[in-house]
Amino acid sequence: SLSTCETKFGTYVNADPSDHGGIQRADHLGLIPSGVADVIVSSRILHASTLFDDKHKGRLFTIFRDPIERAVSTFYYLRNAEWE
């Protein structure tokens, strides 16, 4: 069943939509119709979109990192990463 967990960082629901199995579990538990969660975070946009329907519509927003800053960061990371 769905439940929430209070932490110093906020309140979280015991559903993890970060992979296909977690999205299926969230759907089975009725995460969206329950109204418990205000935000769903998932990199699997197409799979996570299956949680929503005509009665429970979602809104999508995304955050992009600056591509130049990302390339510079990757360069310096790989320069020092001996394990890669």
Side-chain angles (χ1 to χ4, degrees), residues 2-3 12-18 22-23 25-27 29 31 40-41:
L2 288 173
S3 63
Y12 296 89
V13 181
N14 67 334
D16 180 12
S18 64
I23 292 169
R25 180 175 179 275
D27 189 31
L29 294 174
L31 175 63
I40 306 294
V41 178

Side-chain angles (χ1 to χ4, degrees), residues 3-82:
S3 63
T4 59
C5 175
E6 301 272 341
T7 72
K8 66 180 181 179
F9 302 108
T11 304
Y12 296 89
V13 181
N14 67 334
D16 180 12
S18 64
D19 63 15
H20 187 67
I23 292 169
Q24 286 180 323
R25 180 175 179 275
D27 189 31
H28 176 73
L29 294 174
L31 175 63
I32 302 303
S34 75
V36 174
D38 293 326
V39 176
I40 306 294
V41 178
S42 181
S43 62
R44 299 177 171 263
I45 295 169
L46 292 177
H47 287 114
S49 69
T50 63
L51 296 172
F52 302 94
D53 58 27
D54 288 339
K55 289 184 178 180
H56 307 95
K57 295 183 179 185
R59 292 184 180 176
L60 174 69
F61 68 92
T62 186
I63 300 171
F64 291 101
R65 188 172 174 189
D66 180 271
I68 302 299
E69 191 273 331
R70 182 175 176 229
V72 170
S73 176
T74 301
F75 170 78
Y76 284 111
Y77 171 77
L78 292 175
R79 191 172 81 169
N80 295 323
E82 297 175 9

